[in-house]
Amino acid sequence: MKLLFCSIAFIGLGLCSIVAGILNRGIKSRKAAIWIGIGLAAIGAVTLAVMYFFGEDSVVFVWVLCMAAIMFITAFHLTSITFRCRLPIMGRYEGANRYSGSYGMASYSPVFTYEYGDEVYQEQTAQSFPMRYIRKNFSEGEYRRIYIDPEKPDSFICEKKPNIILWVLGVVFLVCALLLI
């Protein structure tokens, strides 16, 4: 019964996230809210389907497999951003936007002003960092190399570094799921 309630809660949270993403048209993270909502609703729907067709014992396997899929999809997305943002230009650091996380943790996305073509952009990076990293590596008014996406100049990253950890976590979850068979 608890599993049934959790599945329905995932579907409900997913639908709320999708609606919030659709209603907040001006927010840059709109797509993320919609995709998170689709993911949550899918986890709930898959859990209900697995419970119905295979019984409750198979649910842990499916959840671990879903975690592996989430890790792989996130790693692929971040890797594709790194490949798309390939044009190095100089940008001026203006500060950082704060995003609250769970348990009082926060991450910060640096904001830069830069020129590309005939336009001036003031955007935040697709990357986020802890405040201690921001304080150590960024100074307001400082110019530094950033990497923009030439097809979408309002998208950029500060550093070109691979997200190996997400690929490794995806493999770990996949191995765990296979061990549960």
Side-chain angles (χ1 to χ4, degrees):
M1 188 56 109
K2 289 180 187 177
L3 205 50
L4 179 65
F5 174 75
C6 287
S7 301
I8 293 170
F10 267 98
I11 293 171
L13 284 172
L15 293 175
C16 288
S17 182
I18 291 168
V19 169
I22 291 170
L23 294 178
N24 294 322
R25 295 179 195 267
I27 295 177
K28 199 170 184 180
S29 60
R30 176 180 177 216
K31 282 185 189 175
I34 293 171
W35 281 109
I36 288 169
I38 290 171
L40 290 172
I43 288 172
V46 167
T47 302
L48 284 176
V50 168
M51 282 174 42
Y52 181 77
F53 290 111
F54 303 105
E56 288 187 21
D57 296 338
S58 302
V59 171
V60 174
F61 164 75
V62 171
W63 278 14
V64 173
L65 201 58
C66 285
M67 287 304 296
I70 289 168
M71 293 298 141
F72 284 131
I73 290 167
T74 304
F76 177 78
H77 173 69
L78 293 174
T79 302
S80 70
I81 288 173
T82 302
F83 282 116
R84 284 194 320 262
C85 296
R86 64 186 178 277
L87 182 64
I89 65 168
M90 296 304 286
R92 181 174 181 233
Y93 175 67
E94 303 292 344
N97 291 332
R98 181 181 195 273
Y99 294 94
S100 298
S102 55
Y103 306 110
M105 301 294 290
S107 63
Y108 298 82
S109 291
V111 176
F112 281 83
T113 300
Y114 57 94
E115 291 181 33
Y116 181 70
D118 295 334
E119 291 195 46
V120 176
Y121 296 88
Q122 184 172 11
E123 301 289 338
Q124 78 175 22
T125 181
Q127 297 168 315
S128 61
F129 304 97
M131 179 48 86
R132 69 181 179 280
Y133 185 85
I134 296 284
R135 285 188 184 130
K136 181 179 175 186
N137 296 294
F138 296 90
S139 298
E140 280 197 43
E142 166 190 49
Y143 281 86
R144 63 183 293 155
R145 185 179 318 275
I146 59 174
Y147 302 89
I148 67 167
D149 179 350
E151 281 108 47
K152 224 177 135 189
D154 61 342
S155 295
F156 74 95
I157 57 175
C158 298
E159 299 175 354
K160 283 185 147 307
K161 60 180 186 177
N163 289 301
I164 307 284
I165 210 116
L166 291 173
W167 290 107
V168 169
L169 284 173
V171 169
V172 167
F173 278 114
L174 185 60
V175 168
C176 289
L178 293 174
L179 292 174
L180 289 171
I181 292 179

